[in-house]
Amino acid sequence: MSSTTSTRDDSGEATPPPVRPPLPTGATTTVDAKPKNALDRFFEITQRGSTVAREVRGGVVTFVTMAYIVILNPLILGGVEDVAGNALQSAQIGAATGLTAGVMTILFGVVARLPFALAAGLGINSFLAVAVVGQVTWPEAMGLVVINGLLIVLFGATGIRTAIFNAVPHALKAAITVGIGLFIAFIGFVDSGFVSRTPGGPPVQLGDGGSITSVPTFIFLIGLILIGVLVARKVPGGILIGIVASTIIAIVAQSFLKLGSSAEDPGGWHMTIPELPTSFVTIPDFGLVGQFDLFGSFGRIGALAATMLVFTLVFSNFFDAMGTMTGLAKNSGLAYKDGTFPRLRSAFVVEGLGAVAGGATSTSSNTVFVDSAAGIGEGARTGLSSVVVGALFLLSMFFTPLTLVVPIEVGSAALVVVGAMMMAQVKEIKFTKFAVALPVFLTIVTMPLTYSIANGIGVGFISWALINALSGRAKKVHWLMWIVAAGFTLYFVRGPIEALLGG
């Protein structure tokens, strides 16, 4: 990455090249100290103001916060029949989910050396289960995911992805971080039962009928306050301590109340029931590894329809991950003033390989998880924490019962706290110019309200280009912004386009 690349300020005006920090890591939290050993030197732990203990602790927190994917991914993908009437086995999906997340997160930590963890992306796996396998078989659908990943790797390796990243105005990059903060807080509220759907009227409500009525949601509130107090008091390991303490409270409550799943009992747990397991070890089944058909879908539904599915996957994967990494880099203090971060291209390439690996193992595209913010909030600043997360994912394949102990309500409390931390980036946005204020506002609110980071980025890109152009500031919009805005326009109207192609 050239250090002479100019940037644009909130109004779109060209600004001088940013002044880089004096140390090669690029972190804004660096300290001028010599590394203590080879491990420290490789991961730049001391230079980023961290310690090995803090990295390990942050990795544990990230894993605990996102371990639900090992249970949730099989629930989304398992049992759904494809066009040929075949379905994936949940046990095989669970094993492959842990394997892929573990390998790709370790690779990301070693190559990109950033505290980000990868796992099966929830948006794409739902898209596959709901919209794709009704047209093609599961191996053919996963072949499309592999093609999607290969394209993303190509974009990352050639610098196309970096160029698009650099074309994004600073205000939109800050807005992406804030939007992600609201998004993960909203996820926490929903998964904990603090916010729920209404039978009619407003789309969401507090608890059940406007009241907190369930014990799991009450434990979420206990965890939220406990973690919040520990973080406010700057207690080392505050998030992890809060998670462990809240889990113990949940286990004790469950031992007395014997609550079930919320699917059967509205007052039950939303995903995992916090009980001590009767057995601890399981043998993983890797039967799904390699079960993909790269080009079968093109023959089954035609080149145009298959290409449209790939287009949808690429846009969702490409910009969801880019936005997530932007927010995480800023939240961890590793971002430059122009929003980029150390080893940007390596991060983009490895993230693309995650999509390839996810398709090759039938677990759906693996991408950077916004839940990594929990470990960053605990102090993680280097790829060592990612290696810890990856190792725990690999272990989880053999100790699946232990991943069921921490309820999602407890993990949700950590997400809400971290969401509050990420909101601090709002101070970087100048709302005095409405040509800036409206696009960044739309970016921020669209993410939680549509449950999609990519949607927020798309709305922000399109509105930024149009509002600035139609207000006499067309020259202030980077030409790449126009191309991406046009692509997002197609992405948002893909439903009618797919209907026309299908008809």
Side-chain angles (χ1 to χ4, degrees):
M1 186 188 309
S2 172
S3 61
T4 59
T5 302
S6 64
T7 60
R8 295 177 181 274
D9 62 16
D10 293 340
S11 63
E13 298 288 351
T15 59
V19 177
R20 302 297 193 192
L23 294 171
T25 61
T28 57
T29 55
T30 54
V31 295
D32 190 7
K34 293 182 179 180
K36 300 176 181 178
N37 49 47
L39 181 70
D40 191 347
R41 184 180 303 106
F42 182 81
F43 287 109
E44 302 164 342
I45 298 171
T46 300
Q47 289 189 14
R48 295 186 182 181
S50 187
T51 64
V52 172
R54 188 180 299 170
E55 295 301 308
V56 172
R57 195 168 61 232
V60 173
V61 167
T62 293
F63 173 76
V64 169
T65 306
M66 62 186 289
Y68 65 86
I69 192 62
V70 179
I71 298 97
L72 184 57
N73 203 36
L75 293 177
I76 294 174
L77 299 179
V80 179
E81 293 187 355
D82 60 21
V83 68
N86 299 316
L88 303 179
Q89 299 301 312
S90 295
Q92 293 179 327
I93 299 171
T97 298
L99 173 67
T100 311
V103 171
M104 292 312 305
T105 300
I106 290 174
L107 181 64
F108 191 91
V110 172
V111 175
R113 303 178 199 173
L114 296 166
F116 308 163
L118 282 71
L122 293 177
I124 290 181
N125 60 8
S126 299
F127 174 69
L128 292 173
V130 173
V132 177
V133 295
Q135 307 175 56
V136 300
T137 65
W138 274 112
E140 290 165 352
M142 292 304 170
L144 293 175
V145 175
V146 172
I147 295 173
N148 149 69
L150 291 173
L151 289 173
I152 292 176
V153 170
L154 178 64
F155 295 151
T158 58
I160 294 175
R161 200 172 187 181
T162 304
I164 293 174
F165 186 93
N166 291 333
V168 180
H170 175 73
L172 280 185
K173 289 177 180 175
I176 289 169
T177 305
V178 175
I180 290 174
L182 289 178
F183 178 52
I184 65 174
F186 190 51
I187 290 174
F189 285 142
V190 172
D191 288 348
S192 66
F194 186 75
V195 170
S196 65
R197 295 184 178 91
T198 61
V204 293
Q205 63 177 341
L206 173 68
D208 182 12
S211 301
I212 303 301
T213 59
S214 73
V215 171
T217 303
F218 182 66
I219 290 176
F220 156 77
L221 293 174
I222 293 176
L224 178 61
I225 298 300
L226 177 59
I227 295 173
V229 169
L230 292 172
V231 171
R233 295 179 67 89
K234 299 181 180 180
V235 175
I239 295 178
L240 180 58
I241 293 172
I243 289 174
V244 172
S246 301
T247 300
I248 293 174
I249 294 173
I251 292 173
V252 173
Q254 176 62 21
S255 66
F256 285 101
L257 301 176
K258 306 297 182 184
L259 301 175
S261 168
S262 61
E264 303 170 353
D265 176 11
W269 303 94
H270 278 72
M271 190 175 300
T272 60
I273 298 176
E275 296 176 323
L276 293 177
T278 56
S279 63
F280 294 91
V281 180
T282 56
I283 304 301
D285 181 351
F286 299 126
L288 288 178
V289 176
Q291 300 300 310
F292 66 96
D293 184 343
L294 197 60
F295 298 110
S297 57
F298 288 82
R300 183 179 297 274
I301 62 177
L304 284 177
T307 299
M308 181 55 65
L309 291 177
V310 172
F311 175 83
T312 303
L313 289 170
V314 169
F315 251 76
S316 178
N317 207 152
F318 186 106
F319 289 101
D320 195 347
M322 191 175 79
T324 300
M325 284 191 276
T326 299
L328 293 177
K330 281 183 169 291
N331 192 43
S332 61
L334 297 176
Y336 296 115
K337 290 184 178 180
D338 60 0
T340 59
F341 47 86
R343 297 184 180 86
L344 178 68
R345 183 173 296 191
S346 297
F348 284 160
V349 170
V350 177
E351 192 277 330
L353 289 175
V356 176
T361 57
S362 295
T363 58
S364 177
S365 174
N366 275 235
T367 186
V368 172
F369 254 53
V370 71
D371 305 64
S372 305
I376 291 171
E378 190 59 46
R381 294 295 180 269
T382 78
L384 179 59
S385 69
S386 297
V387 173
V388 172
V389 177
L392 291 174
F393 264 118
L394 294 180
L395 284 174
S396 75
M397 298 185 300
F398 301 93
F399 298 94
T400 302
L402 289 178
T403 65
L404 302 178
V405 174
V406 181
I408 193 64
E409 287 81 0
V410 171
S412 296
L415 290 183
V416 173
V417 170
V418 174
M421 294 176 178
M422 297 182 74
M423 279 293 298
Q425 293 294 327
V426 75
K427 68 180 183 295
E428 297 187 13
I429 303 172
K430 298 178 181 178
F431 286 95
T432 54
K433 295 182 179 179
F434 200 69
V436 172
L438 184 57
V440 300
F441 170 76
L442 293 175
T443 299
I444 291 169
V445 301
T446 299
M447 288 185 192
L449 294 184
T450 66
Y451 237 60
S452 169
I453 294 172
N455 286 348
I457 295 174
V459 169
F461 275 39
I462 294 171
S463 60
W464 182 280
L466 291 178
I467 290 173
N468 280 275
L470 296 178
S471 60
R473 302 160 55 86
K475 292 183 179 180
K476 308 299 183 182
V477 182
H478 196 287
W479 63 272
L480 277 175
M481 288 285 290
W482 284 111
I483 293 177
V484 176
F488 265 116
T489 302
L490 290 175
Y491 174 74
F492 288 142
V493 298
R494 67 190 183 279
I497 293 175
E498 290 172 353
L500 289 174
L501 293 175

